[in-house]
């Protein structure tokens, strides 16, 4: 029996583990976080009918996904930043569920619940990885595997062993904020957002608001900035960050500036890093990568979909190929060209996100 380790309990790693178990294969997922609830899991995702939903069908979880998904979240709305007027409002047709929304935390919970108890080893940070498939844990214990799958995200330790390539700052930064119980506590901003995604942008700056479940709206101020732009800002000081952003977005319509003023909680700085394009590697029998570890791209609606597809395709190959080596070769032969082409499109999409074309809804 081949021994398989997945490093990272994100969407792609969990999808891979789920499909491996469906095929009766043994797998262990190692996650550095202490528990599934150690941190919040981010905002809403649109799962595409030709990628993410395909993966969930392979994992036998599509019906459960449909019960949680929000088809109305496909609404896309653009507002003029200076007048605050709606200039585009695309509402999904009845029965359109090609890209329904689901909270990342809900989807991760669905995947976790589908695994056998004990599959995920929480609180297991990896200190080192070798090309032969040996993991060294933070406590110094080592363990050998026939295959180590790097599903450990942007700053992947497995990638470090395989390619040594690290993400680079893209020149674009996101500042995240949130509105709780928005329809009751922030009705005007909820009305501007609609049921899906609202965007407004000009002069290399954008505001994006997205509906999540349970009445929450997650918002992002997006702009070009040098990597050290926030060196003198204290993000624990909400008033200081608010004043900076309101100055940066000065001249925008007051109704839109309220997103920056009326937030609940603090601002969160999220500088955008990406892997170079193309990012590929020489085939190594005992190591491979999926999701952001393999192809970190701008967050333009494709990352989670590709991670899920990566994970299920790798698992299917491992279940059907005559050897681990052939399975990894088959998987990489499909995944790498796909991810390279998508990364090129996302690089263009990031430029479109901050263009003045209000009908360019890259996010």
């Amino acid at each position: 029996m081949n021994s398989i380790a997945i490093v990272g309990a994100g969407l792609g790693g969990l999808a891979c583990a789920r499909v491996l178990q469906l095929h009766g294969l043994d797998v262990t997922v190692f996650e550095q976080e202490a528990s599934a609830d150690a941190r919040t899991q981010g905002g809403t995702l649109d799962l595409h009918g030709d990628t993410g939903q395909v993966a969930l069908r392979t994992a036998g979880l599509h019906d459960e996904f449909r019960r949680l998904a929000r088809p109305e979240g496909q609404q896309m709305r653009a507002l003029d930043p200076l007048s605050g007027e709606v200039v585009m409002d695309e509402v999904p047709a009845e029965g359109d569920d090609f890209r329904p929304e689901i909270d990342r935390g809900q989807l991760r919970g669905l995947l976790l619940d589908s695994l056998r108890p004990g599959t995920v080893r929480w609180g297991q940070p990896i200190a080192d990885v070798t090309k032969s498939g040996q993991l060294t844990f933070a406590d110094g214990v080592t363990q050998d595997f026939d295959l180590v799958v790097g599903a450990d995200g942007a700053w992947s330790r497995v990638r470090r062993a395989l390619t040594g390539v690290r993400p680079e700052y893209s020149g674009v930064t996101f500042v995240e904020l949130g509105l709780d119980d928005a329809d009751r506590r922030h009705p005007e901003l909820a009305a501007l957002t609609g049921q899906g995604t609202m965007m407004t942008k000009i002069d290399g700056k954008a505001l994006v608001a997205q509906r999540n479940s349970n009445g929450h709206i997650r918002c992002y101020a997006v702009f070009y900035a040098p990597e050290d732009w926030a060196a003198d800002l204290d993000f624990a000081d909400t008033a200081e960050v608010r004043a900076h952003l309101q100055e940066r977005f000065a001249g925008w319509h007051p109704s839109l500036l309220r997103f920056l003023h009326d937030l609940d909680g603090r601002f969160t700085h999220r500088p955008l890093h990406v892997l170079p394009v193309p990012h590929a590697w020489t085939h190594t029998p005992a190591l491979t990568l999926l999701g952001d570890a393999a192809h970190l791209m701008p967050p333009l609606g494709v990352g989670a979909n590709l991670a899920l597809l990566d994970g299920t395709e790798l698992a299917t190959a491992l279940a059907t190929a005559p050897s681990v080596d052939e399975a990894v070769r088959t998987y990489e032969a499909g995944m790498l060209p796909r991810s390279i082409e998508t990364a090129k499109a996302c690089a263009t999409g990031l430029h479109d996100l901050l263009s003045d074309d209000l009908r360019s809804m890259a996010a």
Side-chain angles (χ1 to χ4, degrees):
M1 177 76 67
N2 294 309
S3 58
I4 302 170
I6 297 173
V7 180
L11 300 180
L14 295 175
C16 186
R18 162 66 174 178
V19 175
L20 287 171
Q21 290 186 346
L22 285 179
H23 286 278
L25 299 180
D26 191 30
V27 60
T28 304
V29 180
F30 297 100
E31 170 55 52
Q32 66 177 350
E33 293 180 352
S35 71
D37 302 320
R39 64 178 176 87
T40 59
Q41 290 299 307
T44 186
L45 305 168
D46 55 327
L47 288 198
H48 302 179
D50 55 357
T51 50
Q53 291 187 55
V54 171
L56 290 180
R57 285 192 174 92
T58 302
L61 298 172
H62 191 259
D63 289 344
E64 291 87 340
F65 158 73
R66 288 286 300 274
R67 284 193 283 272
L68 294 170
R70 304 188 308 278
E72 69 278 7
Q74 296 173 100
Q75 181 183 11
M76 302 290 285
R77 173 177 284 182
L79 274 63
D80 185 288
L82 304 182
S83 69
E85 296 178 353
V86 176
V87 298
M88 184 190 80
D89 195 2
E90 296 182 351
V91 178
E94 184 73 26
D96 179 1
D97 60 356
F98 184 74
R99 298 174 60 165
E101 297 283 332
I102 185 172
D103 285 11
R104 180 183 291 270
Q106 291 178 318
L107 182 56
R108 189 186 191 220
L110 179 63
L111 288 162
L112 282 169
D113 290 345
S114 75
L115 299 177
R116 291 197 290 267
T119 299
V120 180
R121 306 281 182 85
W122 300 101
Q124 291 285 317
I126 304 300
D128 191 35
V129 184
T130 69
K131 289 189 175 182
S132 65
Q134 184 181 81
L135 294 180
T136 301
F137 299 93
D139 59 6
V141 172
T142 63
Q143 191 170 352
D144 294 309
F145 294 90
D146 295 310
L147 178 65
V148 173
V149 180
D152 46 344
W155 305 101
S156 168
R157 283 194 175 274
V158 182
R159 187 204 308 124
R160 198 177 307 174
L162 189 56
T163 75
V165 176
R166 295 176 62 83
E168 303 168 349
Y169 177 58
S170 66
V172 175
T173 198
F174 281 48
V175 178
E176 180 183 321
L177 57 129
L179 304 171
D180 296 328
D181 194 10
D183 291 301
R184 186 179 66 84
R185 300 184 67 248
H186 308 282
E188 294 87 358
L189 298 181
L192 287 177
T193 302
Q195 294 303 310
T197 298
M198 181 282 294
M199 176 187 292
T200 180
K201 54 183 181 172
I202 195 171
D203 295 335
K205 298 185 289 288
L207 281 176
V208 181
Q210 294 180 315
R211 283 273 183 174
N212 289 210
S213 62
N214 301 316
H216 186 73
I217 293 177
R218 193 176 299 260
C219 314
Y220 304 91
V222 188
F223 46 90
Y224 292 110
E227 191 167 9
D228 63 351
W229 75 274
D232 296 328
L233 275 181
D234 178 6
F235 270 80
D237 187 336
T238 298
E240 179 185 352
V241 179
R242 177 192 288 119
H244 175 92
L245 291 175
Q246 288 183 320
E247 181 179 353
R248 187 178 284 269
F249 285 79
W252 285 39
H253 194 268
S255 65
L256 297 170
L257 292 178
R258 284 187 58 189
F259 281 103
L260 303 176
H261 184 273
D262 294 359
L263 76 156
D264 297 303
R266 294 179 176 176
F267 294 96
T268 302
H269 183 208
R270 300 198 184 282
L272 183 58
H273 291 82
V274 296
L275 283 169
V277 183
H279 176 242
W281 53 88
T282 302
H283 171 72
T284 302
L287 299 182
T288 195
L289 304 173
L290 62 77
D292 284 350
H295 43 69
L296 180 65
M297 307 175 196
L300 302 180
V302 297
N305 285 279
L306 290 187
L308 290 166
L309 195 60
D310 290 351
T312 56
E313 287 187 350
L314 174 57
T316 301
L318 287 165
T320 56
S323 68
V324 168
D325 183 59
E326 289 189 48
V328 173
R329 287 184 184 276
T330 298
Y331 159 70
E332 292 176 349
M335 181 274 292
L336 286 170
R338 175 179 66 215
S339 65
I340 289 168
E341 289 306 307
T342 307
K344 290 177 181 177
C346 279
T348 300
L350 184 61
H351 171 75
D352 291 341
L353 172 63
L354 291 173
S355 74
D356 287 352
D357 180 6
L358 285 170
R359 294 184 178 273
S360 173
M361 300 289 286

